[in-house]
Amino acid sequence: RERAKIGQELFSVKSDIPLQFPAAFTFVFRAFTTLDGIGKTLDPKYDLTKIAQPYLKDLVDLRDGNAYISILNSFAKRVGWRWEDIAALVTSPRKIAHTDEVVRKLEEGEIKLQVRVIESEISFKRLEAQQSSLSAALLATLSLNAGVILISSRAKFLILLGRFLFLTSAYCCFQVPVGYFK
């Protein structure tokens, strides 16, 4: 009865979700069911699962390649240990030692820490542009004042120097808006 019930469940699963088995698996399954049918015909007390149970247990024990590893994995699963946690437990002292070494090197100056903050860099460039514009405005004003003073004198050399200062003032005046629009 139980096998018939399991068979019905398998067929119902097949109708819900289409399964595809490799051809070799289908032949092996058919061979086992044929052997089971012949055994039941010859001996009504025949049970293939009881006969195969020790062999299947050995296969289950060897699923990790070694019976001891399988026992260890099943014990770890029952206790709630995960291999990731054990690995972290083993590697944590090395990571802490590495962190300590890096901090020591930082403190001694062997390693220099550089941090880039894009917003700060943009602000610094903007301030630099404003500062250069302000310097150009100051230089333009200074050149203009000096040029006016030198031109008001009657000496030819000083008038020439005053005109040069006017040109310098004009150049600096054009640099002021250029610096603000950068």
Side-chain angles (χ1 to χ4, degrees), residues 126 129-130 132-133 174-182:
R126 191 175 303 129
Q130 288 175 350
S132 67
S133 294
F174 285 119
Q175 291 299 315
V176 172
V178 170
Y180 279 114
F181 288 121
K182 279 187 181 179

Side-chain angles (χ1 to χ4, degrees), residues 25-46:
F25 182 75
T26 306
F27 290 126
V28 170
F29 185 69
R30 180 175 274 189
F32 277 119
T33 54
T34 305
L35 284 174
D36 190 40
I38 293 171
K40 290 271 186 202
T41 305
L42 295 175
D43 184 11
K45 295 180 182 179
Y46 174 79

